[in-house]
Amino acid sequence: MLLIEPARINLIPDANFVDSTSDNIPDGWDTVGVPGTAFAIGAGGPHGGKIFRILAAAAAGQGAIANAALLALTTYSSSAWRRRLGSEALTLRGHYGNPGWTDFASDATEHDWTRIYATGATVGADGGGQDAAGGMTAVTDPTSETQISMPQVELGGYASTWIPSTGGAGSRAVEVGNLDSTKLNGTAGFVSFLWCPGYSSADLVAGGIVGRLISWRSDALVGIYMNSNRRMYFENGAVTDSVGPFSWNAWDLFRIQFRYGSSGVVLDVNGTVVSTATPWPAVVTSGAKLGSGYDGSTTYTESAAFGDLLLAGS
């Protein structure tokens, strides 16, 4: 599978948990509680790096806070990898600001590393809140240890993959899935691929996302899309139709098959089919792309994986 990601910034200034003074406090972070008693920095993250440990002796509200300015009335996503060493219910704080906040769901099961994320909007009139670093602060009083790795806070309605950061925010440039235009016929053909979006149908609706799955042209006026009504559709001038609505979780898998030509168009999404007899108007294929990134633009770029791609002309 080829994962195509958007341009994003991890607002946490030290998501790698660098502790240059060996005081169990990540560089540049604020803390609540006694280092080494309420929390500590350790080793053994799922990526082989450092972890932040919220210890059993911590009280509610104790942990560490990464200072990051947030805009008012703006949606952010907090994410992290979490390991639970106990089985009592514990809620962790995601991002917050002036005074709105977003918490990760309460977790009452002992488990190895799993990725968690939560999305919510700040509510302050002037923004500029602090950020709780992807759930570094315990909302409820723990009685066993919880470990956190690879925290991230980013602007947007869903969490993308982790962006490392040390000494300041980390960034990732937009990723573009270029296709060889000579292999995507503009007149007639068959397209088949696996599509695995990094966002759920609920994320799509809440964020108003319009996902471009594949485009015949660099201006993206000819292609296959997923709109904010959770419907998959194709478009080429006068030829437009849709199938759905669909509901899915982040990283669910879709099989997309698309046949087009002078006799009409057929779109098959996981066995659900829509068709039209209207002929597919021939186009000059140029700058064909997988995903929404085109010509270096960051507009309408979403996290999604593509695989098993078949492009056949006829």
Side-chain angles (χ1 to χ4, degrees):
M1 300 287 283
L2 172 66
L3 178 61
I4 301 174
E5 290 269 57
R8 289 283 180 93
I9 296 174
N10 185 357
L11 297 173
I12 295 176
D14 179 17
N16 288 321
F17 299 136
V18 174
D19 179 15
S20 58
T21 58
S22 300
D23 59 359
N24 282 306
I25 301 175
D27 289 355
W29 290 42
D30 293 332
T31 59
V32 180
V34 179
T37 300
F39 53 84
I41 292 177
H47 62 321
K50 293 183 177 180
I51 62 175
F52 188 84
R53 303 166 58 204
I54 298 177
L55 303 175
Q62 294 186 339
I65 300 170
N67 292 304
L70 303 180
L71 299 174
L73 304 175
T74 302
T75 297
Y76 293 88
S77 293
S78 295
S79 60
W81 286 79
R82 174 172 62 185
R83 172 195 274 167
R84 290 298 315 280
L85 303 186
S87 57
E88 92 285 359
L90 175 67
T91 300
L92 298 177
R93 179 128 294 162
H95 61 266
Y96 69 95
N98 253 11
W101 59 76
T102 294
D103 294 339
F104 296 121
S106 176
D107 189 353
T109 304
E110 183 175 355
H111 59 74
D112 206 345
W113 291 108
T114 58
R115 190 168 189 252
I116 54 176
Y117 78 90
T119 298
T122 55
V123 298
D126 57 0
Q130 289 182 320
D131 196 280
M136 304 281 71
T137 304
V139 177
T140 50
D141 187 359
T143 59
S144 60
E145 181 175 328
T146 294
Q147 300 175 350
I148 300 292
S149 181
M150 297 184 285
Q152 181 155 297
V153 175
E154 57 194 305
L155 183 67
Y158 66 93
S160 65
T161 56
W162 184 58
I163 303 169
S165 66
T166 301
S171 63
R172 176 183 57 230
V174 64
E175 299 173 351
V176 178
N178 296 303
L179 288 175
D180 185 340
S181 298
T182 66
K183 294 182 172 64
L184 191 59
N185 195 301
T187 302
F190 177 77
V191 173
S192 176
F193 57 94
L194 296 173
W195 180 64
C196 185
Y199 50 90
S200 68
S201 54
D203 295 333
L204 179 141
V205 173
I209 299 169
V210 178
R212 295 178 180 137
L213 278 66
I214 185 171
S215 301
W216 273 250
R217 292 180 359 197
S218 60
D219 57 15
L221 295 176
V222 181
I224 301 173
Y225 313 83
M226 178 68 81
N227 66 19
S228 56
N229 293 323
R230 301 181 292 115
R231 301 186 72 89
M232 186 83 70
Y233 73 99
F234 57 85
E235 182 174 338
N236 180 6
V239 183
T240 303
D241 214 334
S242 64
V243 57
F246 298 97
S247 295
W248 70 90
N249 297 315
W251 303 116
D252 279 355
L253 191 64
F254 288 81
R255 162 64 75 180
I256 315 298
Q257 298 183 84
F258 184 68
R259 185 177 298 278
Y260 59 102
S262 59
S263 60
V265 180
V266 177
L267 173 65
D268 182 328
V269 184
N270 284 354
T272 301
V273 179
V274 63
S275 63
T276 175
T278 305
W280 177 266
V283 298
V284 176
T285 302
S286 61
K289 299 288 189 297
L290 289 173
S292 291
Y294 61 93
D295 296 341
S297 171
T298 61
T299 304
Y300 299 121
T301 305
E302 310 83 34
S303 299
F306 294 80
D308 196 22
L309 179 64
L310 172 63
L311 307 175
S314 61

